Amino acid sequence: MNANLHLHSRFSDGSQWPGDIALAAARQRLEMAALTDHDTLGGVEGFLSECSRLGIKGVAACELDVDEPAIDYKSEILGYFPKWESLGAAAVSRLAGEILEARKKRLEYYLYWARTIFRRDDLVFDDILEDRMGRPGPWPAERIALLSWSKVDLFLYLKARGLLAIETTYKKFKREWFVPGRFPRYKLEKPSARKAVEAIRADGGFAVIPHFGHLWNDSLEEMRQDEPRLRARLGHFRSLGVDGIELYWYSGKRKTAEINEYVRAVAEPMGFFFTFGSDCHGPGTDKRTIDKFSGEFGGFPA
């Protein structure tokens, strides 16, 4: 089944709403797609409904931010819930809710310092919320509570108000403004990988490690040179109950094929299954990749 199981919407840091993403998936002739917003399941129902209307198999999912010091892993774990309609995802929803609240507090902290640095008292959270929603309020409180806030929101907000140079990219903004940078340090508390996997499995879901090559700067050479550590990380994930590894789009066909082939060769004997994901964030972002990568997915393990 031709699948792309890593897509983001405006519920986190994507540029489109879930229904638009389902339509884009249909235009790419995908047979299966998953919405994997950061730390929120807020867009799942709308996404699944539109996928069903368009004849696509939609999968409920999310991408949980985690911190696993034991293997120096500060990244994400994808959770997939193919039994969403019967089981839901109560444990992951509770865990995600805690992270969402922490994300909102972090954004408000940075916004406070933006007001101080730019001497602009008119920089307020409600304006950022209006930008995200795409229209003036009021908005349903339950919908707002499911939005996942990131540094991207602050970047887009400051840039739209002319406080950053027009040519400033998000990468440059992060480099100049965050640790070490102009904003004081703010540590976002994240759950351990173990806690995230336990929640995913409690909901009858499958835990998958995304974009594994990122840990080695998307470099096959670095991965091969560091293979003992690579295997140790995979072994640790397996011990936690992680089910799969994502085969990913690494910004070029040759690089993608080589890294994915290597990852599959190392991880498959360890019992992992494999998903396919392009990590698309939509038009107007530097990850407009829904047309770049997908794969023949055999389904989730029985």
Side-chain angles (χ1 to χ4, degrees), residues 1-4 31 247 264 274-276 294-299:
M1 188 174 289
N2 186 25
N4 186 341
E31 298 169 280
L247 302 180
R264 185 189 283 273
F274 301 92
T275 61
F276 300 85
S294 59
E296 285 299 316
F297 181 58

Side-chain angles (χ1 to χ4, degrees), residues 96-138:
E98 296 172 6
I99 306 173
L100 290 181
E101 184 60 31
R103 281 178 170 273
K104 184 173 182 290
K105 288 180 179 178
R106 180 181 66 174
L107 179 61
E108 290 172 334
Y109 174 84
Y110 287 138
L111 193 56
Y112 163 80
W113 281 105
R115 285 195 294 270
T116 302
I117 292 168
F118 290 108
R119 299 182 181 181
R120 289 278 299 270
D121 291 338
D122 60 331
L123 300 178
V124 295
F125 180 77
D126 280 352
D127 283 347
I128 298 181
L129 180 57
E130 185 172 315
D131 286 355
R132 172 72 76 84
M133 301 303 289
R135 61 176 177 81

